[in-house]
Amino acid sequence: MFCDIQATEPDIKVSLTRVGVTNLKKLVKITREAKRPIILLPTFEVFVDLPSSQKGIHMSRSPEVIEEVIENLVNKETYGIEELSVDIVKKLFERHEYASRAEVLMHSDYMMEEKSPITEKKSQEICKIIGRAYGVKDSEGNIVIKKMVGAEVVGITACPCAQNLLKEKAINNLKEKGFSDEDIVKILDSVVIATHNQRGIGTIMIEVPDGYDISIGKIITIIKKSMSGEVYELLKRVDEGYVVETAHNNPKFVEDCAREMIKRVVDEFNYLPDDTEVLVRQVNKESIHRHDAFAERYSKMGELRAELELNGK
């Protein structure tokens, strides 16, 4: 007779917060009304909790759930990655009846067409889109699910601190060579002061309340506009000059980027309720240090609105 080993009692009776599978890849086709379908190859992380009375989860059920949900996509005209995540969470509860918590995180490369800033050469831009859903089941079997959608985008930042040091050095050098204060002002207005750069990685995740829509395209644009400048796959010489000059004329710390994203999120998504959760994160890959710079804010939309209003922003 078949024995369900997973359902037996464990030797050590301790509950586990998350048990599941990671690095699970599936091909997903998201159809859109009057638009070309989006083809993704996302990576999934799928988890449920495990009570202390059970030895293990039925591990194969989680990949089966994802496969089943993806197969059902062909019958839907409009579908987003947040809805996909929610459907997976619902199915996880059906297949793992012992679970009181279920979670799915998916992220995928997303291809978009871009043009270089001056020559307008076309190329493909890759960023990362993210979907997450988290569900909790109470003792009566009622399930509450929260869903989030977001993106991760690479840009360029220029360090304000090093640039200011070099500016002060340039002023002193010009004074030693006999230039007047008026000439120095003209010179500094005519040249770009050097500094060191970082490859910035901006991330925004926003909760999607029931009945509301959030455009991933708008999230991507916010991240791009919140750094010193954008990066491109294909650049001719005149484009390279423009990108470098633009970044150096807009120096930003990692904290500046995070705060800029917060301000733009509040302005762009002003229709979202105050209890909507927002995550903003910026990581700058340093060029002259071995470490990276990091800034993050996890809050609710109402708290961000109140803080910006208090400071007159």
Side-chain angles (χ1 to χ4, degrees):
M1 184 177 179
F2 174 76
C3 178
D4 187 354
I5 299 297
Q6 288 91 340
T8 62
E9 290 190 356
D11 297 330
I12 301 174
K13 295 179 176 60
V14 177
S15 62
L16 299 176
T17 308
R18 297 200 300 172
V19 181
V21 296
T22 63
N23 200 31
L24 176 65
K25 295 182 183 293
K26 293 288 183 180
L27 186 67
V28 175
K29 180 180 178 181
I30 297 179
T31 57
R32 301 180 297 169
E33 188 174 356
K35 293 182 179 180
R36 290 187 306 170
I38 298 174
I39 307 298
L40 303 173
L41 185 60
T43 300
F44 291 89
E45 297 179 5
V46 186
F47 308 104
V48 296
D49 66 333
L50 187 67
S52 60
S53 59
Q54 184 153 324
K55 188 176 185 64
I57 72 167
H58 297 86
M59 198 70 71
S60 63
R61 293 181 184 177
S62 296
E64 288 173 352
V65 162
I66 295 174
E67 195 74 45
E68 181 180 332
V69 172
I70 290 173
E71 285 297 320
N72 290 333
L73 288 184
V74 296
N75 299 319
K76 298 189 177 182
E77 277 300 315
T78 56
Y79 205 80
I81 60 173
E82 65 272 25
E83 286 89 356
L84 173 61
S85 300
V86 168
D87 284 353
I88 291 173
V89 167
K90 290 178 180 178
K91 288 289 183 181
L92 287 172
F93 279 122
E94 291 179 11
R95 299 293 181 85
H96 300 281
E97 64 282 353
Y98 43 79
S100 61
R101 292 187 294 274
E103 177 184 0
V104 59
L105 175 68
M106 61 167 290
H107 53 85
S108 175
D109 288 340
Y110 179 57
M111 304 288 293
M112 299 185 300
E113 185 180 270
E114 67 177 2
K115 293 181 180 179
S116 58
I118 303 299
T119 62
E120 297 188 343
K121 294 288 185 180
K122 292 183 180 180
S123 62
Q124 290 183 331
E125 173 188 8
I126 300 177
C127 63
K128 184 180 291 184
I129 59 175
I130 309 166
R132 180 181 183 267
Y134 178 80
V136 178
K137 181 171 64 177
D138 63 22
S139 58
E140 298 179 355
N142 300 311
I143 298 173
V144 176
I145 300 176
K146 284 190 175 183
K147 55 187 175 180
M148 299 187 82
V149 68
E152 178 185 292
V153 181
V154 175
I156 183 175
T157 56
C159 177
C161 185
Q163 189 176 60
N164 188 63
L165 292 172
L166 291 177
K167 181 179 180 180
E168 291 178 353
K169 184 176 181 180
I171 291 172
N172 292 332
N173 289 341
L174 290 169
K175 286 182 177 180
E176 290 176 1
K177 295 182 182 298
F179 287 92
S180 67
D181 290 343
E182 183 179 350
D183 287 336
I184 291 174
V185 171
K186 291 179 180 179
I187 292 170
L188 294 179
D189 284 342
S190 303
V191 299
V192 176
I193 303 297
T195 186
H196 67 94
N197 302 121
Q198 304 92 11
R199 174 170 287 192
I201 303 172
T203 303
I204 294 175
M205 292 290 293
I206 304 176
E207 180 186 353
V208 186
D210 290 340
Y212 291 86
D213 291 318
I214 294 176
S215 166
I216 293 182
K218 290 181 178 179
I219 291 177
I220 292 171
T221 299
I222 287 172
I223 300 173
K224 287 182 176 180
K225 299 299 183 183
S226 298
M227 289 184 249
S228 296
E230 298 181 36
V231 296
Y232 303 83
E233 184 63 31
L234 177 61
L235 293 172
K236 305 301 287 184
R237 288 184 179 179
V238 64
D239 296 309
E240 288 185 13
Y242 175 86
V243 169
V244 173
E245 183 178 17
T246 298
H248 282 72
N249 285 331
N250 187 28
K252 289 188 177 183
F253 290 124
V254 67
E255 300 94 333
D256 296 323
C257 299
R259 287 171 171 146
E260 182 72 23
M261 283 190 281
I262 291 170
K263 174 67 165 56
R264 289 177 180 270
V265 164
V266 170
D267 289 343
E268 181 65 47
F269 301 105
N270 54 20
Y271 56 88
L272 293 175
D274 281 345
D275 60 352
T276 303
E277 295 180 358
V278 178
L279 170 68
V280 167
R281 178 187 299 130
Q282 179 73 20
V283 178
N284 286 354
K285 300 289 186 177
E286 293 283 6
S287 58
I288 66 170
H289 304 291
R290 297 187 184 276
H291 59 263
D292 298 328
F294 179 95
E296 182 181 273
R297 176 70 183 269
Y298 184 79
S299 187
K300 293 187 176 181
M301 190 69 78
E303 296 170 355
L304 298 176
R305 289 187 179 117
E307 195 168 342
L308 288 169
E309 290 174 2
L310 180 65
N311 294 298
K313 297 295 184 181

